[in-house]
Amino acid sequence: MTSVLNAQKRERFKKSDLRKLRSEGNFPAVVYGHKVENTPIYVESAEFIKTIREVGRNGVISLNFSGNKQNVILSEYQEDTIKNEIVHADFLAVDMSSEIDADVRVELVGEAPGVKDGGVMQQPLHEVSVTAKPNEIPESIQVDVAGLEVGDTLSIGDIKGNYSVTINHEDDETIASILAPRQEEEISTGEEQEAGVPENEEGRETEASEESEEE
């Protein structure tokens, strides 16, 4: 889905000009990329938010400025979290027939049996870099964790073949794992963990029991 976002070329760059721009409900931005020189622009905040809600964070926008329409995606943005306002944005002009890199949110879906058994879900990877044509970049990568038991780990290599986009990460990079409750407590309190994949719950309990018997 492509929505039109109107923009105006920015000609003045003093701080007073930026304050006036923002007081009028706009924010400064830059457009650059395919067949577009680095150009300072500004857009209306309310229209920008409406557009992003329509197309999604990685959606293609038809940016209308200086009488021309250019397909762009939102590359980066800065936000004033106190005022809940966008203060600046970068728009990347794209060639719809060429692949680009983009960061995509990782969303865990499904109910893991390991969590029902008292394990604690860990998700070290919340965003992945993908390569795809602009209109094929997903809003999120959904990862099914319905098969994870306590002690299980899900890595990039386990899911790479499930998507049409290229995921630019090593196969052994961990997306999610389920720790036994005691392991999660040790991490929270800062106790040193051994490198590698945590042992399963049964193994740790057996070790603890052996230590107790020796005492």
Side-chain angles (χ1 to χ4, degrees):
M1 179 178 179
T2 302
S3 294
V4 176
L5 175 64
N6 293 305
Q8 305 296 324
K9 192 171 181 179
R10 204 152 37 98
E11 305 284 358
R12 298 178 178 177
F13 304 96
K14 293 180 180 178
K15 287 185 178 179
S16 58
D17 296 322
L18 291 177
R19 283 197 295 269
K20 183 173 185 297
L21 202 65
R22 292 186 173 112
S23 70
E24 294 173 344
N26 306 301
F27 64 83
V30 171
V31 58
Y32 65 98
H34 178 65
K35 295 184 177 179
V36 176
E37 292 184 0
N38 193 325
T39 306
I41 58 174
Y42 67 91
V43 299
E44 184 182 336
S45 300
E47 185 183 358
F48 168 80
I49 291 171
K50 178 175 178 290
T51 303
I52 292 299
R53 285 176 178 167
E54 289 175 352
V55 304
R57 170 64 179 84
N58 297 316
V60 178
I61 301 168
S62 179
L63 190 69
N64 180 24
F65 72 105
S66 301
N68 298 314
K69 288 184 179 178
Q70 174 66 50
N71 288 321
V72 302
I73 62 170
L74 176 63
S75 175
E76 293 183 9
Y77 68 94
Q78 290 83 49
E79 183 178 14
D80 185 332
T81 55
I82 295 176
K83 295 181 179 179
N84 194 27
E85 293 178 350
I86 303 295
V87 296
H88 192 276
D90 292 354
F91 294 101
L92 174 65
V94 294
D95 175 1
M96 298 299 287
S97 63
S98 299
E99 292 185 332
I100 60 173
D101 293 338
D103 293 329
V104 176
R105 179 171 52 88
V106 174
E107 181 181 358
L108 303 185
V109 297
E111 295 185 26
V115 173
K116 292 181 179 178
D117 291 341
V120 180
M121 179 73 74
Q122 301 285 306
Q123 185 183 355
L125 195 60
H126 291 269
E127 200 172 69
V128 291
S129 169
V130 305
T131 299
K133 292 180 180 177
N135 58 0
E136 295 174 350
I137 296 172
E139 181 68 15
S140 66
I141 292 288
Q142 294 192 335
V143 177
D144 188 359
V145 295
L148 289 186
E149 305 279 355
V150 172
D152 283 350
T153 296
L154 195 64
S155 303
I156 289 290
D158 297 321
I159 64 146
K160 262 189 175 176
N162 299 341
Y163 309 96
S164 59
V165 300
T166 301
I167 299 178
N168 305 314
H169 290 257
E170 298 296 331
D171 286 356
D172 60 356
E173 194 165 345
T174 299
I175 301 170
S177 61
I178 298 183
L179 302 183
R182 182 187 169 192
Q183 292 173 325
E184 192 275 337
E185 182 180 342
E186 289 170 349
I187 291 175
S188 299
T189 56
E191 279 190 38
E192 184 175 353
Q193 299 289 301
E194 293 183 3
V197 179
E199 298 177 7
N200 62 32
E201 186 178 17
E202 183 179 356
R204 294 188 67 82
E205 286 185 342
T206 301
E207 182 179 327
S209 300
E210 290 173 350
E211 290 175 357
S212 177
E213 289 174 1
E214 289 175 358
E215 290 174 358

mmCIF file of all heavy atoms in Angstrom, residues 11 40 45 54 74 88 92 106 121 127 130 132 134 160 173 188 206:
data_model
loop_
_atom_site.group_PDB
_atom_site.id
_atom_site.type_symbol
_atom_site.label_atom_id
_atom_site.label_comp_id
_atom_site.label_asym_id
_atom_site.label_seq_id
_atom_site.Cartn_x
_atom_site.Cartn_y
_atom_site.Cartn_z
ATOM 1 N N GLU A 11 14.232 26.122 2.855
ATOM 2 C CA GLU A 11 15.174 27.116 2.338
ATOM 3 C C GLU A 11 15.926 27.828 3.457
ATOM 4 O O GLU A 11 16.985 28.401 3.225
ATOM 5 C CB GLU A 11 14.420 28.158 1.499
ATOM 6 C CG GLU A 11 13.572 27.571 0.356
ATOM 7 C CD GLU A 11 14.403 27.135 -0.829
ATOM 8 O OE1 GLU A 11 15.630 27.307 -0.808
ATOM 9 O OE2 GLU A 11 13.806 26.597 -1.801
ATOM 10 N N PRO A 40 16.968 19.119 1.835
ATOM 11 C CA PRO A 40 16.243 19.434 3.073
ATOM 12 C C PRO A 40 14.781 19.768 2.775
ATOM 13 O O PRO A 40 14.495 20.548 1.854
ATOM 14 C CB PRO A 40 16.971 20.672 3.622
ATOM 15 C CG PRO A 40 18.128 20.920 2.716
ATOM 16 C CD PRO A 40 17.899 20.187 1.448
ATOM 17 N N SER A 45 3.439 17.269 10.741
ATOM 18 C CA SER A 45 3.522 16.164 11.702
ATOM 19 C C SER A 45 2.290 15.272 11.659
ATOM 20 O O SER A 45 2.403 14.037 11.621
ATOM 21 C CB SER A 45 3.708 16.715 13.119
ATOM 22 O OG SER A 45 4.885 17.465 13.213
ATOM 23 N N GLU A 54 -0.859 4.207 8.065
ATOM 24 C CA GLU A 54 -1.462 3.554 6.893
ATOM 25 C C GLU A 54 -0.512 2.545 6.256
ATOM 26 O O GLU A 54 -0.908 1.429 5.915
ATOM 27 C CB GLU A 54 -1.862 4.614 5.859
ATOM 28 C CG GLU A 54 -3.060 5.459 6.258
ATOM 29 C CD GLU A 54 -3.341 6.570 5.259
ATOM 30 O OE1 GLU A 54 -2.513 6.781 4.335
ATOM 31 O OE2 GLU A 54 -4.362 7.238 5.413
ATOM 32 N N LEU A 74 10.761 5.432 5.140
ATOM 33 C CA LEU A 74 11.291 6.142 6.306
ATOM 34 C C LEU A 74 12.556 5.439 6.754
ATOM 35 O O LEU A 74 12.512 4.301 7.225
ATOM 36 C CB LEU A 74 10.247 6.144 7.427
ATOM 37 C CG LEU A 74 10.668 6.764 8.753
ATOM 38 C CD1 LEU A 74 10.989 8.240 8.584
ATOM 39 C CD2 LEU A 74 9.573 6.573 9.796
ATOM 40 N N HIS A 88 12.823 15.079 13.720
ATOM 41 C CA HIS A 88 13.533 15.029 12.440
ATOM 42 C C HIS A 88 13.348 13.651 11.809
ATOM 43 O O HIS A 88 13.146 12.661 12.528
ATOM 44 C CB HIS A 88 15.025 15.311 12.618
ATOM 45 C CG HIS A 88 15.753 15.547 11.325
ATOM 46 N ND1 HIS A 88 16.233 14.515 10.549
ATOM 47 C CD2 HIS A 88 16.052 16.691 10.673
ATOM 48 C CE1 HIS A 88 16.807 15.027 9.469
ATOM 49 N NE2 HIS A 88 16.715 16.346 9.514
ATOM 50 N N LEU A 92 14.488 7.759 2.515
ATOM 51 C CA LEU A 92 15.356 7.176 1.498
ATOM 52 C C LEU A 92 14.560 6.977 0.216
ATOM 53 O O LEU A 92 13.575 6.225 0.194
ATOM 54 C CB LEU A 92 15.905 5.839 1.994
ATOM 55 C CG LEU A 92 16.715 5.031 0.975
ATOM 56 C CD1 LEU A 92 17.997 5.765 0.592
ATOM 57 C CD2 LEU A 92 17.040 3.634 1.527
ATOM 58 N N VAL A 106 11.333 -8.066 15.245
ATOM 59 C CA VAL A 106 11.078 -9.493 15.450
ATOM 60 C C VAL A 106 9.926 -9.638 16.440
ATOM 61 O O VAL A 106 9.956 -9.082 17.535
ATOM 62 C CB VAL A 106 12.326 -10.215 16.003
ATOM 63 C CG1 VAL A 106 11.992 -11.667 16.340
ATOM 64 C CG2 VAL A 106 13.467 -10.152 14.997
ATOM 65 N N MET A 121 11.031 -16.852 29.158
ATOM 66 C CA MET A 121 11.407 -16.551 27.779
ATOM 67 C C MET A 121 12.444 -15.426 27.738
ATOM 68 O O MET A 121 12.266 -14.376 28.357
ATOM 69 C CB MET A 121 10.161 -16.135 26.992
ATOM 70 C CG MET A 121 10.421 -15.775 25.538
ATOM 71 S SD MET A 121 10.775 -17.218 24.517
ATOM 72 C CE MET A 121 9.125 -17.928 24.396
ATOM 73 N N GLU A 127 15.326 -7.131 16.642
ATOM 74 C CA GLU A 127 15.273 -6.533 15.310
ATOM 75 C C GLU A 127 16.291 -7.233 14.429
ATOM 76 O O GLU A 127 17.375 -7.585 14.898
ATOM 77 C CB GLU A 127 15.601 -5.029 15.412
ATOM 78 C CG GLU A 127 15.142 -4.206 14.246
ATOM 79 C CD GLU A 127 15.336 -2.712 14.506
ATOM 80 O OE1 GLU A 127 16.496 -2.259 14.559
ATOM 81 O OE2 GLU A 127 14.315 -2.020 14.646
ATOM 82 N N VAL A 130 17.185 -7.136 7.017
ATOM 83 C CA VAL A 130 16.759 -7.973 5.898
ATOM 84 C C VAL A 130 17.067 -7.268 4.583
ATOM 85 O O VAL A 130 17.242 -6.043 4.546
ATOM 86 C CB VAL A 130 15.245 -8.302 5.959
ATOM 87 C CG1 VAL A 130 14.887 -8.932 7.290
ATOM 88 C CG2 VAL A 130 14.399 -7.064 5.705
ATOM 89 N N ALA A 132 15.505 -6.970 0.634
ATOM 90 C CA ALA A 132 14.356 -7.277 -0.217
ATOM 91 C C ALA A 132 14.029 -6.037 -1.051
ATOM 92 O O ALA A 132 14.566 -4.947 -0.811
ATOM 93 C CB ALA A 132 13.144 -7.666 0.622
ATOM 94 N N PRO A 134 11.712 -2.884 -2.069
ATOM 95 C CA PRO A 134 11.025 -2.002 -1.110
ATOM 96 C C PRO A 134 9.609 -2.435 -0.747
ATOM 97 O O PRO A 134 9.214 -2.363 0.414
ATOM 98 C CB PRO A 134 11.025 -0.654 -1.841
ATOM 99 C CG PRO A 134 12.233 -0.706 -2.704
ATOM 100 C CD PRO A 134 12.342 -2.122 -3.165
ATOM 101 N N LYS A 160 15.466 -19.211 8.814
ATOM 102 C CA LYS A 160 15.847 -18.524 7.580
ATOM 103 C C LYS A 160 15.025 -18.953 6.373
ATOM 104 O O LYS A 160 14.689 -18.153 5.511
ATOM 105 C CB LYS A 160 17.339 -18.740 7.294
ATOM 106 C CG LYS A 160 18.210 -17.573 7.751
ATOM 107 C CD LYS A 160 19.630 -17.722 7.271
ATOM 108 C CE LYS A 160 20.434 -16.480 7.650
ATOM 109 N NZ LYS A 160 21.854 -16.624 7.293
ATOM 110 N N GLU A 173 23.076 -17.058 15.557
ATOM 111 C CA GLU A 173 22.641 -15.946 16.403
ATOM 112 C C GLU A 173 21.283 -16.287 17.030
ATOM 113 O O GLU A 173 20.329 -16.628 16.342
ATOM 114 C CB GLU A 173 22.543 -14.658 15.584
ATOM 115 C CG GLU A 173 22.434 -13.426 16.444
ATOM 116 C CD GLU A 173 22.701 -12.152 15.643
ATOM 117 O OE1 GLU A 173 23.233 -12.245 14.521
ATOM 118 O OE2 GLU A 173 22.360 -11.083 16.143
ATOM 119 N N SER A 188 19.472 -12.051 36.530
ATOM 120 C CA SER A 188 18.927 -10.826 37.098
ATOM 121 C C SER A 188 19.807 -10.290 38.208
ATOM 122 O O SER A 188 19.953 -9.087 38.394
ATOM 123 C CB SER A 188 17.513 -11.073 37.629
ATOM 124 O OG SER A 188 16.667 -11.478 36.589
ATOM 125 N N THR A 206 20.176 -31.563 39.047
ATOM 126 C CA THR A 206 20.988 -32.714 39.413
ATOM 127 C C THR A 206 22.302 -32.269 40.034
ATOM 128 O O THR A 206 22.744 -32.777 41.056
ATOM 129 C CB THR A 206 21.282 -33.585 38.169
ATOM 130 O OG1 THR A 206 20.036 -34.007 37.630
ATOM 131 C CG2 THR A 206 22.125 -34.773 38.531
#
